[in-house]
Amino acid sequence: MNKAGKFTVGIALIFEIILLVHGLTALWQKQWPDLGLSALAMATILVPWLLHYLANRVHLKLPPGFVMAGVVFIFLAQYLGEIRKFYQTFWWWDIFLHGLFGVLAVLFALYMLQSNLKKQGQLSKARFTLFLALLSLCFAMACSAAWELFEYMGDIVLPVKMVKGGLEDTMSDLFSGSLTALLTAAGYYFLWRFMHRDKTRI
């Protein structure tokens, strides 16, 4: 059902080779935090592929470009952000990624809900659209919280430090992801209302 093209496979392979080389270099130089980050990044890049496989097993259609988007995003966050120190070099990098994540999570949820849920009974189309927007927002906020848990658990299990600013870092990440998710969900709903303004009823 879901297919990943050769270009996506090639990009993922290039990213994995880059991470492997960095990990081996860190091992040779006994840079254990960098080795841990490399291993973590190599593992997380496989997550979109795992979700792709599971979706095909249960015949669930994923958004076009899902694997590519996931692989690129993880590379931006783990390799450029953590390993190449973009989080320290560019003050806005963390906010940018969490904000982008909020947008992508809402778009993903909207696609999945529209593909698998059908309006029933006397529920108006406007209310159904509002329901989709709210559910997508909740999904995105839950994913943002899961990301923070991932960073916290990574710091516990591996010799890394992804949660750099404590509570302030965590809350700013959640806020930026939740804000962009809210704007995306609201934009979807009000755009639909505008496009159907002549026949919309709540």
Side-chain angles (χ1 to χ4, degrees):
M1 177 181 292
N2 302 293
K3 295 182 179 180
K6 293 181 179 179
F7 182 72
T8 301
V9 175
I11 291 296
L13 184 60
I14 291 172
F15 287 170
E16 289 284 22
I17 291 174
I18 292 173
L19 292 168
L20 178 61
V21 170
H22 187 274
L24 292 175
T25 302
L27 178 62
W28 177 261
Q29 298 177 348
K30 297 182 179 180
Q31 299 292 326
W32 308 125
D34 276 1
L35 178 61
L37 287 172
S38 297
L40 184 62
M42 291 181 69
T44 51
I45 278 184
L46 298 178
V47 171
W49 296 99
L50 175 61
L51 295 177
H52 179 269
Y53 170 78
L54 293 176
N56 284 338
R57 293 279 294 181
V58 299
H59 304 289
L60 186 65
K61 188 176 181 181
L62 293 173
F66 170 79
V67 175
M68 173 62 83
V71 168
V72 171
F73 187 88
I74 291 171
F75 187 80
L76 294 177
Q78 292 297 108
Y79 180 70
L80 294 183
E82 296 289 351
I83 295 174
R84 290 302 178 187
K85 305 293 190 293
F86 272 38
Y87 289 132
Q88 289 80 18
T89 305
F90 306 105
W91 65 266
W92 47 266
W93 189 254
D94 195 26
I95 297 174
F96 163 71
L97 286 182
H98 280 274
L100 177 61
F101 183 78
V103 174
L104 294 176
V106 168
L107 295 178
F108 171 80
L110 285 172
Y111 182 92
M112 297 300 292
L113 291 172
Q114 290 173 337
S115 300
N116 295 282
L117 289 182
K118 303 297 180 183
K119 184 177 77 68
Q120 295 181 349
Q122 299 301 314
L123 183 66
S124 69
K125 184 63 176 176
R127 287 188 180 182
F128 184 67
T129 303
L130 178 60
F131 168 75
L132 293 181
L134 290 174
L135 196 57
S136 299
L137 172 61
C138 292
F139 173 81
M141 294 179 68
C143 288
S144 293
W147 185 352
E148 295 306 311
L149 289 174
F150 164 76
E151 290 184 346
Y152 177 74
M153 292 304 299
D155 287 353
I156 293 177
V157 176
L158 297 172
V160 298
K161 188 170 179 55
M162 291 188 288
V163 182
K164 298 173 177 61
L167 180 60
E168 182 178 352
D169 176 67
T170 298
M171 295 309 298
S172 63
D173 290 347
L174 289 174
F175 179 78
S176 59
S178 298
L179 178 60
T180 55
L182 174 61
L183 293 175
T184 305
Y188 163 78
Y189 174 70
F190 286 111
L191 178 61
W192 183 92
R193 294 270 304 195
F194 176 77
M195 294 176 64
H196 299 82
R197 58 189 179 278
D198 295 332
K199 51 184 177 180
T200 299
R201 66 179 180 87
I202 297 294

